[in-house]
Amino acid sequence: MFTIVSPAPRGDDLEYTTTRHHPSVKDEIDMDIEEQGGEFGEGPSRLASPGETITSAQAFMRGHGTYVENEDLVSALTGTIERVNKLVSVRALKSRYNPEVGDLVVGRITEVGPRRWKVDANARQDAVLMLSSINLPGGVQRRKLESDELQMRNFFEEGDLLVAEVQAFFADGAMSLHTRSLKYGKLRNGHLVMVPPALVRRLKSHFYALPCGVDLILGLNGYIWVSKHVKQSEQEGEEGFDAEAVYSNKNDDIDVATRTAIARVSNIIRALARHSTPLTDVLLVEAYDWAIDQDISVKDLSAEETSEAMVAAITFRA
Amino acid sequence: MAYVSKSENSYITTSLLAGIRADGRSPTDYRNISLEIGVVPVANGSARARVGETEVVAAIKLEVEDVGEGENEGRDGGRVLCHVSCTPSAYPHHSLSALDELSDELSSLLQSILSHTLTPSEQLTLVPGKKAWFISLDALILSDAGNAHDALFIAARAALWDLRIPYTRGIEFDIKDGEVVVGDSEGIGRMIGRKRTVDFELPDLLDDGVPLEGRDSLPVCISLNLLPPTHFLDASLQEEQSVLSRLLLFFSFPQPSPTSTLYGTRFIGPNELPFNMLKPLVKDGEKYARELAEALNKKLKQEESQVSAPMSAFG
Amino acid sequence: MAQTTDRRRIVGPESSAPPVFEIDEQKRSQDPPLPSRSKRSPRDIRPIFLQTGLISQANGSAYIETERTKIACAVYGPRQLKNTAYSEKGKLNVEVKFAPFSCTRRRAPMKDAEDRPISLLIAQSLLPSIRLELFPKSSIDIFITVLENDGTEGCVAAGATAASAALADAGIELIALSTSCSASVIGDGPEIWLDPTEEESKAARGTMTVSYLPALGTLTNVWQTGKMSPDEAMQCVEKCVERCTDIHHVVSKTLLDSAQARLGSNP
């Protein structure tokens, strides 16, 4: 019941050689850097720290994370140097989520305001969800009424989790979200896991159904929703879009096996995040299978040795 | 700032009722506890405890004060003052006044429990009626990922374990044949009744000191999160937000007898508790507290027997 | 400097030492003598005088007296919450103030460290009994003034009982009335004395204060300090719970009487 340990001694047991990638992803990234050897140093990824001169500014253009000083290109961040032809930029190892239009994010409502909601999406500013950007019950084309403005809490309340897409940006840089698809909206029947945003790559789809009966939504802002599987047919119910169902806070009945699977997947995600492994569905399925094969209990997955073994086993599978 | 939505709340509570927790622990499992003593070399006793991601540092400073009648003066048997600081880094969304309130609550809790267990103690009297020790225990909550109460008491207990009270010797003055003679009275503060002791001295400046008496039986805190008909221990932050009712029990196990002493109970939460559930909860709490105390004592003895000093406490 | 003699003063002999006083054994004898209960038995609580409606400008009020504990309680609410943050349930806010003349030693009129823990304990006693879900965005403020203080446990118990009566007087919906009682464990017996005075609770080994909803049989607060065994603690709780039921009769009778009086005067 109680495990009391001494804290690990601080020292040089952390290695910052490379971030680990799944083999398929690794090839894509290494391609553009490997072309130019020489000026950028030996290895495929060179690190820079703030104030470190990268190269001369005459031959290259400066990108994000760099600035020009006395004809030199100087790094402004701690991170890896990236180069695309003549554009040099530095990508930080860990930073706040940088949103783009079209990104899928999972957010939490922090405030209810006049005709809008403020959403915390792990970005520099709270995102805004306008009342006109959500699906109102009674049909996708229903017009907004006065009474909707007064009853906004019937749709989303403080603390609610939702999945939405970035529609545009306001002048001050805040995101404007919309949930105008039946895939988006309020989240239920599951559990939120938070990981650093850099570990979630932009991929074709962010909705995954794992074979163990668990659905995943990988938000690009690092918020991952792990929930019970919802059948495809039930998801897209077009006519008579039922408000009670979509904006309800009531969970379905979830059996113990699914709950255990959700807990297991959450622990796997957290373990991978601790080892800075970028997350993809393929990786997660492999990790899950490995965990089942090795017959590891859910709790042990969060132990240091087990998670290290798991990460080692899956990232080196070619 | 709300941390859980209604559906997450309902998911967590129904899972708990089925005995499953988000990270796979059983309802009576604690997260990994990591404990280190002697982390602040300049203090008389210190410790750092982590329960999962919740981290608390506690340190003790000793002072000598004159015995008097006032509230801020010493008294025979010693005096204890505890203070807990909730750092803004642990609670980034709290306003400063809310932080102060939380700090005050925890300080008065720690104070009320520890002042009854540590004082009055003969070991803390230096010169009866004149000088006594003043133990000042300060704790810092560096990060709170749930269950700050238990972590706080684990750190305070470990700091008290690490505490070394300098060895003192009473001295007396006597006049023989018109000459002042400075003599030694034997023993440390156990001189209640020795009529002539008027001051004390430190016989050995390099000596670390003696540990606190009865440190085996310092109290532990067990927080039982109540979700009738069950309860669970060591709530994570999300679990704490979903299940608001808690019963805090403070047990001490004076060695070597099998009995236990209850030094305090606190009830927190907006839900009432059926009367007939109290007794079984207290019994279960005693069981958990005994296991925790034994595990802590064992670990602390182990820590002490290793003579290595940590390279950098906060590296 | 030792050679020059100071002719302006009469100096004592050079080899002198300060006098050594004998330490008085009596003064530091171990414990003060245990108080004795002459006027009431250990199982009795002090008689309670409770009246509601004394503070006319408050929405509800109550005044309670138990021998040397005198507490006035005023309830304002439900009223609008000052901050803009939305809360789905009402907020309960309890503030306790000790009058400067209430204790043996004069207390400064400003708020000090002792007020807040007592406010929190009384708030905890009342919180489960109020139907806060009926008052979103509102707050209920309870102001408790201690006019005479005979022990912290007595203040908490009497204050919580008075506050519950005041809430009922204000017409705020409660699931049940909350009553509180305290007990102390004296000596090694163990002897359990209910409703200790300040002197008794100082001499006690440990004290227990319980808040109970007699109508529903549920506890709202269990506050124990000092040193006692778990068995003694349970015995204290059981005894307190019995007494809480008696106190409940007093409170409900007071409320019904004052309601009757109001109805009688408005035909």
Side-chain angles (χ1 to χ4, degrees), chain A residues 1-7 10-11 108-110 120 157-161 187-192 194 225-226 248-251 254-260 262-264 266-267 270 298-299 302-303, chain B residues 1-8 10-12 14-15 18 20-26 28-36 48 222 233 238 287-288 291-292 295-296 299 303 306 311-315:
Chain A
M1 190 163 89
F2 295 106
T3 19
I4 309 190
V5 298
S6 294
R10 271 153 264 287
R108 199 186 281 281
I109 305 276
T110 56
D120 161 43
E157 273 193 299
E158 285 88 346
D160 277 343
L161 277 173
L187 295 171
R188 64 182 72 79
N189 292 336
H191 176 73
L192 186 73
M194 291 188 262
W225 181 251
V226 187
S248 98
N249 288 317
K250 208 160 153 3
N251 288 338
I254 311 177
D255 59 350
V256 173
T258 318
R259 286 183 201 269
T260 320
I262 292 177
R264 191 171 268 130
S266 311
N267 274 358
R270 277 189 216 117
V298 182
K299 186 170 72 144
S302 40
Chain B
M1 163 129 180
Y3 290 113
V4 277
S5 67
K6 289 209 174 81
S7 58
E8 276 178 294
S10 145
Y11 181 81
I12 291 176
T14 38
S15 296
I20 304 178
R21 294 170 84 165
D23 49 3
R25 286 184 284 152
S26 84
T28 52
D29 267 337
Y30 264 66
R31 293 166 286 185
N32 280 345
I33 304 177
S34 109
L35 192 54
E36 228 183 321
R48 177 184 190 185
I222 291 278
L233 301 178
Q238 285 191 323
K287 199 174 60 161
Y288 305 136
E291 277 191 46
L292 178 61
L296 284 173
K299 177 76 186 128
E303 280 273 304
Q306 293 166 358
M311 280 185 0
S312 145
F314 292 98

Side-chain angles (χ1 to χ4, degrees), chain A residues 128-177:
Chain A
V128 175
L129 176 67
M130 306 294 298
L131 179 59
S132 46
S133 309
I134 66 169
N135 278 330
L136 296 165
V140 188
Q141 299 297 335
R142 201 195 88 170
R143 298 197 64 196
K144 192 158 56 89
L145 301 172
E146 276 280 331
S147 57
D148 290 329
E149 287 179 43
L150 299 170
Q151 308 263 38
M152 285 178 67
R153 285 199 176 83
N154 285 353
F155 306 126
F156 292 112
E157 273 193 299
E158 285 88 346
D160 277 343
L161 277 173
L162 51 87
V163 57
E165 194 181 317
V166 179
Q167 186 176 43
F169 285 103
F170 284 98
D172 57 2
M175 299 183 265
S176 172
L177 304 174

Side-chain angles (χ1 to χ4, degrees), chain A:
Chain A
M1 190 163 89
F2 295 106
T3 19
I4 309 190
V5 298
S6 294
R10 271 153 264 287
D12 338 82
D13 45 23
L14 298 168
E15 298 172 75
Y16 284 106
T17 46
T18 49
T19 50
R20 279 182 262 225
H21 293 286
H22 193 269
S24 60
V25 179
K26 197 172 181 170
D27 298 332
E28 293 173 75
I29 292 183
D30 289 344
M31 232 162 20
D32 42 10
I33 298 196
E34 263 168 6
E35 282 184 301
Q36 201 83 328
E39 266 175 79
F40 287 96
E42 322 74 34
S45 52
R46 197 187 117 181
L47 290 177
S49 64
E52 207 178 299
T53 315
I54 306 175
T55 179
S56 92
Q58 276 153 359
F60 295 95
M61 293 188 294
R62 64 173 180 84
H64 288 301
T66 63
Y67 65 95
V68 178
E69 189 178 317
N70 298 339
E71 302 191 4
D72 279 329
L73 212 56
V74 187
S75 161
L77 296 171
T78 308
T80 49
I81 304 176
E82 287 175 344
R83 197 190 70 88
V84 176
N85 272 348
K86 297 260 179 202
L87 180 70
V88 177
S89 57
V90 179
R91 187 159 56 96
L93 288 170
K94 183 172 85 161
S95 77
R96 274 307 230 183
Y97 164 58
N98 278 322
E100 306 281 335
V101 174
D103 277 358
L104 184 110
V105 291
V106 170
R108 199 186 281 281
I109 305 276
T110 56
E111 226 183 275
V112 179
R115 289 197 297 281
R116 73 188 60 148
W117 290 273
K118 285 273 167 118
V119 180
D120 161 43
N122 206 20
R124 294 198 190 100
Q125 285 192 56
D126 279 350
V128 175
L129 176 67
M130 306 294 298
L131 179 59
S132 46
S133 309
I134 66 169
N135 278 330
L136 296 165
V140 188
Q141 299 297 335
R142 201 195 88 170
R143 298 197 64 196
K144 192 158 56 89
L145 301 172
E146 276 280 331
S147 57
D148 290 329
E149 287 179 43
L150 299 170
Q151 308 263 38
M152 285 178 67
R153 285 199 176 83
N154 285 353
F155 306 126
F156 292 112
E157 273 193 299
E158 285 88 346
D160 277 343
L161 277 173
L162 51 87
V163 57
E165 194 181 317
V166 179
Q167 186 176 43
F169 285 103
F170 284 98
D172 57 2
M175 299 183 265
S176 172
L177 304 174
H178 79 90
T179 60
R180 278 263 184 218
S181 160
L182 294 162
K183 291 186 298 182
Y184 304 145
K186 198 184 272 205
L187 295 171
R188 64 182 72 79
N189 292 336
H191 176 73
L192 186 73
V193 182
M194 291 188 262
V195 303
L199 298 177
V200 185
R201 303 265 178 223
R202 285 191 174 84
L203 297 164
K204 197 172 85 131
S205 163
H206 290 266
F207 294 88
Y208 298 117
L210 297 182
C212 42
V214 171
D215 267 356
L216 270 184
I217 302 180
L218 295 171
L220 281 158
N221 56 345
Y223 287 179
I224 300 179
W225 181 251
V226 187
S227 64
K228 169 181 156 201
H229 180 60
V230 172
K231 291 201 219 340
Q232 201 63 23
S233 53
E234 282 173 26
Q235 256 179 13
E236 325 263 336
E238 303 80 10
E239 316 87 26
F241 173 73
D242 188 8
E244 272 77 65
V246 176
Y247 290 114
S248 98
N249 288 317
K250 208 160 153 3
N251 288 338
D252 303 332
D253 279 329
I254 311 177
D255 59 350
V256 173
T258 318
R259 286 183 201 269
T260 320
I262 292 177
R264 191 171 268 130
V265 173
S266 311
N267 274 358
I268 291 175
I269 296 176
R270 277 189 216 117
L272 291 173
R274 265 205 302 276
H275 294 266
S276 300
T277 324
L279 298 165
T280 60
D281 62 328
V282 173
L283 201 67
L284 286 167
V285 171
E286 282 186 20
Y288 191 84
D289 288 336
W290 182 87
I292 297 286
D293 284 336
Q294 301 279 324
D295 210 10
I296 301 176
S297 78
V298 182
K299 186 170 72 144
D300 289 333
L301 275 168
S302 40
E304 258 316 297
E305 311 87 32
T306 330
S307 55
E308 281 201 20
M310 174 176 75
V311 172
I314 43 181
T315 50
F316 292 125
R317 262 187 230 176

